[in-house]
Amino acid sequence: QLLGPDTAFTLEALVKPNTSNFSGHGQIWCADSDVTNNRGFQFRINSSEELEYNGLNFGGGNIKIPLAGQLQANTWYHVALTYTEAGQTAGSGLFTMYWTPAASPVTEAQVLHTWISNAITPGFTSQLVLGNEGRGPMSEGFPGLIDEARISRIARGADDFIFGIVDTDSDSLPDWW
């Protein structure tokens, strides 16, 4: 089950697009199906090179954030989407998108965008899919690699993600070690 006790969740993955010129949508995570009322959400890089969350029947609106200048082919990125109702007014929730180049020596995820929307409505069952859509014919496969995918039943904060080691002396060990 995707949702935690307070409907919080985090979806994250490392992605390495093989192009910076998307000609179609590249799904990262989605809850989707061929049944119209069971189409949950899509979290993807769309054909306009925007990181997009489309809430479909799940809620949260349709948010598109341009990745111009932040999307390069054959480069690893940490991408995440979080949601929580905690701390929000009744009936609303907080969404956060993260986009962080994995090659840079960072210690926490970089927030790309946050928004408050109506609380999600998880009143249906849909398959959770990584790297493609969940309806046929599957034509929105992510153009590249996806690795280290993780689902959490909490909304992780920017410092709750694990990033690569800092290895300035090139011994393949963390410098602190």
Side-chain angles (χ1 to χ4, degrees), residues 1-9 85 152-155:
Q1 180 176 347
L2 170 64
L3 303 175
D6 61 353
T7 67
F9 68 86
E85 290 180 14
S152 303
R153 294 178 64 195
I154 60 171

Side-chain angles (χ1 to χ4, degrees), residues 5-7 15 18 29 53 55-56 84 104 107 114 119 134 139 143 158 169 172:
D6 61 353
T7 67
V15 297
N18 61 18
W29 286 101
Y53 170 79
L56 299 170
T84 184
S104 59
T107 57
T114 62
S139 61
D169 58 1
S172 298

Side-chain angles (χ1 to χ4, degrees), residues 9 35 38 46 57 93 101 104 118 141 151 165 171:
F9 68 86
V35 180
N38 283 359
N46 66 25
N57 292 314
S104 59
N118 292 335
I151 302 166
I165 62 172
D171 64 358

Side-chain angles (χ1 to χ4, degrees), residues 48-110:
S48 298
E49 284 96 35
E50 300 164 316
L51 189 60
E52 177 181 10
Y53 170 79
N54 185 350
L56 299 170
N57 292 314
F58 198 62
N62 187 2
I63 305 298
K64 300 174 185 179
I65 305 301
L67 292 175
Q70 299 182 60
L71 180 63
Q72 297 179 4
N74 302 312
T75 300
W76 283 102
Y77 298 94
H78 173 265
V79 62
L81 173 71
T82 67
Y83 172 81
T84 184
E85 290 180 14
Q88 303 304 309
T89 58
S92 68
L94 174 67
F95 288 85
T96 305
M97 281 185 195
Y98 295 91
W99 180 262
T100 310
S104 59
V106 296
T107 57
E108 65 181 37
Q110 297 172 8

